[in-house]
Amino acid sequence: MKKIELLAPAGDLEKLKIAIDYGADAVYFGGEMFSLRAGAGNLTIDEIKEGVYYAHAKGKKAYLTVNIYAHNEDIKPFEEYLNKIKDINIDAFLVSDPGILLLIKEAIPDAEFHLSTQANMTNFKAAEFWHQQGIKRIVLARELTFEEIKELHSKMPEGMEIEAFVQGAMCISYSGRCLLSNFMIERDANRGQCAHPCRWKYSLVEEQRPDEYFPVEEDERGTYILNSRDLCMIDHIPELINSGIVSAKIEGRMKSVFYVATIVSAYRKAIDAYYADPENYVFKEEWLNELKKVSHRQFTTGFYFNKPTNKDQDYQTSAYTREYTFTGLVKDYNPETGIALVEQRNKMSIGEEIEIFGPNDDFFTQTLQIMMDENGEPVESAPHPQQLLQIKVNQPVASGFMLRKKK
């Protein structure tokens, strides 16, 4: 049985490598231009070369996202950009604009194309149309149920693949095609600059009383009428696989390296456990608990089982739940001394309890007892961003392991 692909976001080169190391089968990333995540770090052309090489060396795939809806002024710069990247062995291009698709075809005749969710692909006739344009894989709009996905899979052209989001933020607009941000502050969501006004607080104003603002109160903190919970499908791996989806996609190119590692690792374990014994597969609550250790909103299954109701919205706050803090990234480890070289990411102090986890490993807990600076001088706390520390760990670790602590 061919395994479903676990597809992870890579907002920059570090996240790309971490996603691969923590179990992703493929990564998707944007360049410095023409991607719908202008706020992400994104990759320079040299970083794209390095990232693609890194993925291929590990037997993984790398997809470039170029899913803007281009305006006339974008065409010439995009042609110039294609000339710079056309010799990089990118596995597929995620596109939504037919003009962008045409330009890539002209510059890279043998390119593979995946249709971005921005194209709002919701039916098998649309799949047939896009197949005729050379699209191999469709990234479904988030507004489809399992029943619709199964029918689409049974009727779409042979050889065409389905990719679908399984984890991450939900857009209140139709699969991301939102004009609210552009209307309010002239930041175009369809060109990568969404300000997420759907998660702002709102009040009601009556036409004849323009200076009187009536709060539409849910509680004392305000009202969030367009504030969706985060999608989470880790406890529905069998349904995802049996629906015909070939690629399970994690949202979050603007998320932290800690987020990417944690989410990818949890889904990797759940997916592998299913394929190891499909008949006796049992979901483990610990996988879901891991997801809750990164910054998140409350969870929902989105449209997969039914159309969302008021229970899939969060009316109390648009803030994230942050129960754990990412405190350090292991850069090196000496097995003879048990000392790990750690790059600090948030403050940690002697006496605090920390959790340490890595690729393919469960976390372990220890009290922080021995911590030194780069020169071997003992320190009580590590308040300086990205300072290098020597930390005594109770179990073997390796480069890429992460430290976290509960708030």
Side-chain angles (χ1 to χ4, degrees):
M1 187 186 301
K2 184 179 179 181
K3 277 189 177 183
I4 192 171
E5 177 185 83
L6 180 57
L7 177 57
D12 58 32
L13 184 59
E14 181 186 38
K15 294 171 191 174
L16 183 153
K17 292 180 177 181
I18 286 290
I20 294 292
D21 291 345
Y22 274 77
D25 298 305
V27 290
Y28 66 100
F29 55 89
E32 292 178 297
M33 303 169 65
F34 314 112
S35 165
L36 285 185
R37 286 296 179 269
N42 295 319
L43 280 72
T44 65
I45 291 174
D46 285 341
E47 288 174 333
I48 291 174
K49 291 177 183 177
E50 184 178 346
V52 171
Y53 178 83
Y54 189 86
H56 289 173
K58 303 264 185 174
K60 312 300 183 180
K61 292 187 176 181
Y63 308 140
L64 177 62
T65 302
V66 282
N67 59 346
I68 66 161
Y69 280 93
H71 289 235
N72 290 335
E73 65 196 49
D74 297 315
I75 301 302
K76 184 173 177 53
F78 186 67
E79 289 177 322
E80 295 170 351
Y81 184 71
L82 283 174
N83 282 330
K84 296 176 182 177
I85 66 168
K86 64 182 180 180
D87 294 325
I88 304 174
N89 190 22
I90 296 165
D91 291 288
F93 294 84
L94 280 99
V95 300
S96 51
D97 186 310
I100 294 293
L101 172 64
L102 181 60
L103 288 169
I104 298 174
K105 280 185 175 181
E106 292 171 351
I108 312 171
D110 60 346
E112 179 175 315
F113 294 101
H114 297 175
L115 186 70
S116 169
T117 191
Q118 297 298 121
N120 309 139
M121 228 301 307
T122 56
N123 65 80
F124 59 85
K125 289 304 288 183
E128 183 181 334
F129 167 81
W130 285 111
H131 184 260
Q132 292 172 3
Q133 313 313 310
I135 297 292
K136 180 182 178 181
R137 179 187 293 182
I138 49 176
V139 185
L140 294 182
R142 290 175 174 85
E143 293 77 22
L144 292 181
T145 64
F146 273 130
E147 184 177 349
E148 291 176 298
I149 294 169
K150 288 178 181 178
E151 182 180 6
L152 191 153
H153 178 254
S154 68
K155 294 180 178 179
M156 68 184 194
E158 185 177 354
M160 204 172 195
E161 299 176 346
I162 295 176
E163 178 179 306
F165 283 96
V166 299
Q167 182 75 33
M170 295 283 285
C171 185
I172 204 68
S173 185
Y174 207 91
S175 281
R177 297 288 291 276
C178 181
L179 296 176
L180 194 58
S181 179
N182 206 2
F183 174 76
M184 287 185 157
I185 58 173
E186 297 183 355
R187 283 176 53 178
D188 191 347
N190 296 307
R191 301 178 86 183
Q193 300 169 343
C194 184
H196 305 286
C198 56
R199 301 189 187 278
W200 297 351
K201 292 183 180 181
Y202 289 90
S203 298
L204 182 67
V205 179
E206 198 276 323
E207 184 178 10
Q208 300 302 317
R209 299 171 178 81
D211 296 324
E212 296 182 34
Y213 297 87
F214 303 96
V216 188
E217 292 187 357
E218 293 290 342
D219 70 0
E220 68 277 6
R221 288 173 288 184
T223 298
Y224 305 88
I225 56 177
L226 304 173
N227 187 43
S228 173
R229 296 185 178 195
D230 281 355
L231 179 65
C232 177
M233 292 295 290
I234 196 167
D235 48 347
H236 297 288
I237 297 298
E239 293 95 326
L240 290 167
I241 291 170
N242 294 324
S243 69
I245 293 169
V246 304
S247 182
K249 187 171 192 173
I250 297 167
E251 182 272 341
R253 276 190 284 147
M254 293 176 66
K255 301 286 189 180
S256 70
V257 65
F258 173 53
Y259 178 94
V260 172
T262 304
I263 301 294
V264 169
S265 179
Y267 271 90
R268 180 77 278 154
K269 291 171 184 174
I271 291 171
D272 288 350
Y274 174 81
Y275 283 102
D277 191 356
E279 296 298 322
N280 300 301
Y281 173 78
V282 177
F283 172 72
K284 292 183 180 179
E285 197 70 24
E286 64 194 56
W287 300 331
L288 180 60
N289 290 337
E290 279 294 292
L291 301 189
K292 293 178 180 178
K293 291 181 179 180
V294 298
S295 178
H296 68 283
R297 302 179 184 92
Q298 294 185 66
F299 292 139
T300 174
T301 56
F303 289 78
Y304 277 108
F305 294 98
N306 50 259
K307 289 185 178 178
T309 67
N310 61 334
K311 291 185 171 127
D312 297 286
Q313 302 292 313
D314 188 341
Y315 298 109
Q316 295 183 354
T317 178
S318 63
Y320 287 97
T321 298
R322 294 181 174 93
E323 296 180 351
Y324 280 75
T325 301
F326 173 36
T327 57
L329 177 67
V330 174
K331 307 299 285 186
D332 199 4
Y333 172 68
N334 186 334
E336 294 181 1
T337 62
I339 297 292
L341 182 66
V342 176
E343 183 182 79
Q344 184 260 34
R345 293 301 174 96
N346 280 288
K347 184 179 178 181
M348 50 185 159
S349 303
I350 291 294
E352 289 184 321
E353 186 174 81
I354 58 172
E355 292 180 1
I356 303 176
F357 70 100
N360 307 313
D361 279 345
D362 295 328
F363 71 88
F364 66 92
T365 303
Q366 73 168 69
T367 300
L368 195 55
Q369 295 178 321
I370 298 176
M371 183 165 62
M372 300 170 284
D373 64 19
E374 196 174 0
N375 298 318
E377 294 296 323
V379 293
E380 288 294 315
S381 67
H384 306 300
Q386 294 190 291
Q387 70 180 112
L388 290 176
L389 301 160
Q390 299 181 63
I391 293 176
K392 176 75 172 178
V393 293
N394 294 346
Q395 296 184 27
V397 297
S399 177
F401 273 57
M402 296 189 182
L403 284 65
R404 65 192 176 201
K405 66 177 182 179
K406 192 167 187 179
K407 288 191 175 181

